[in-house]
Amino acid sequence: FLNMDDMCYGFVQGNGEQFHIEKLEGIDKWQDEAGDVTVIWCASVSENKTVVVGWYEHANAYRYLQTLFATPFTGIQRGFLFSTNAENAYLLPESERTFEIGRASKTGAGTGFGQHNYWFAESPYAQENVIPAVMKFIEEHRDVRINTLPCELNEPANIEPLSEAELNHM
């Protein structure tokens, strides 16, 4: 949820070399990118509880890991599978992280996360119950985000830019 030049970039550990975006409605196996996707970000808050912590609207989802230099001053690279304009990224304060997403091992197949830390919510149960409830939750919490959209970013004063030689060795 970090605003980097008016963009936010997200990552989730996939299963193998590609993220299977063809599981999204209307996306084929030959497509490398899906646009106008809503990405729901969740986190475990205890061994048995996973909650919505935020979301991206109008995001792009990528089949293959994308890379960018997160900070040209340090040369740190960042890998991502999702991107959106910063104005479309919503991070909830901890007190508002109340919507639970189940774990299929406890609530049944198709009702929540399986073994992976991502879920396409493609089951009939998810389509009829989970997705409408999450979308209602989003609408009710749109105004409580804690990530901010600064008008300008200041360069850090204590970091030296990388030299040409350092950049060439990356």
Side-chain angles (χ1 to χ4, degrees), residues 102-163:
R103 286 281 178 187
S105 61
K106 299 205 182 308
T107 57
T111 62
F113 290 97
Q115 294 178 356
H116 302 292
N117 287 324
Y118 58 87
W119 179 45
F120 287 96
E122 58 191 328
S123 70
Y125 177 84
Q127 297 285 315
E128 295 169 14
N129 297 288
V130 179
I131 292 174
V134 169
M135 298 310 288
K136 180 180 180 198
F137 178 79
I138 284 174
E139 287 307 315
E140 293 171 350
H141 291 81
R142 186 172 301 285
D143 296 329
V144 295
R145 78 162 117 198
I146 59 173
N147 53 319
T148 59
L149 303 171
C151 295
E152 62 183 63
L153 296 175
N154 297 322
E155 293 180 0
N158 60 343
I159 296 178
E160 292 292 322
L162 292 175
S163 69

Side-chain angles (χ1 to χ4, degrees), residues 1-161:
F1 294 94
L2 177 64
N3 181 347
M4 294 175 39
D5 295 328
D6 295 325
M7 295 292 292
C8 287
Y9 301 94
F11 173 81
V12 62
Q13 183 66 48
N15 184 22
E17 293 183 18
Q18 60 179 296
F19 193 68
H20 293 281
I21 62 172
E22 71 272 7
K23 291 185 178 188
L24 300 171
E25 186 176 328
I27 303 301
D28 293 317
K29 287 186 178 188
W30 53 266
Q31 291 178 270
D32 290 339
E33 182 178 336
D36 202 23
V37 174
T38 300
V39 179
I40 308 300
W41 293 102
C42 299
S44 297
V45 293
S46 70
E47 187 176 319
N48 298 317
K49 187 175 178 182
T50 302
V51 296
V52 172
V53 298
W55 62 92
Y56 288 178
E57 295 178 338
H58 309 293
N60 291 321
Y62 303 94
R63 180 174 303 281
Y64 301 103
L65 187 66
Q66 307 293 302
T67 306
L68 68 97
F69 281 103
T71 57
F73 292 101
T74 63
I76 295 172
Q77 291 184 347
R78 171 172 237 147
F80 63 95
L81 289 168
F82 306 96
S83 65
T84 193
N85 291 327
E87 66 188 26
N88 295 326
Y90 296 80
L91 177 63
L92 294 173
E94 287 185 41
S95 63
E96 298 296 324
R97 299 174 184 180
T98 58
F99 192 97
E100 289 186 48
I101 302 287
R103 286 281 178 187
S105 61
K106 299 205 182 308
T107 57
T111 62
F113 290 97
Q115 294 178 356
H116 302 292
N117 287 324
Y118 58 87
W119 179 45
F120 287 96
E122 58 191 328
S123 70
Y125 177 84
Q127 297 285 315
E128 295 169 14
N129 297 288
V130 179
I131 292 174
V134 169
M135 298 310 288
K136 180 180 180 198
F137 178 79
I138 284 174
E139 287 307 315
E140 293 171 350
H141 291 81
R142 186 172 301 285
D143 296 329
V144 295
R145 78 162 117 198
I146 59 173
N147 53 319
T148 59
L149 303 171
C151 295
E152 62 183 63
L153 296 175
N154 297 322
E155 293 180 0
N158 60 343
I159 296 178
E160 292 292 322

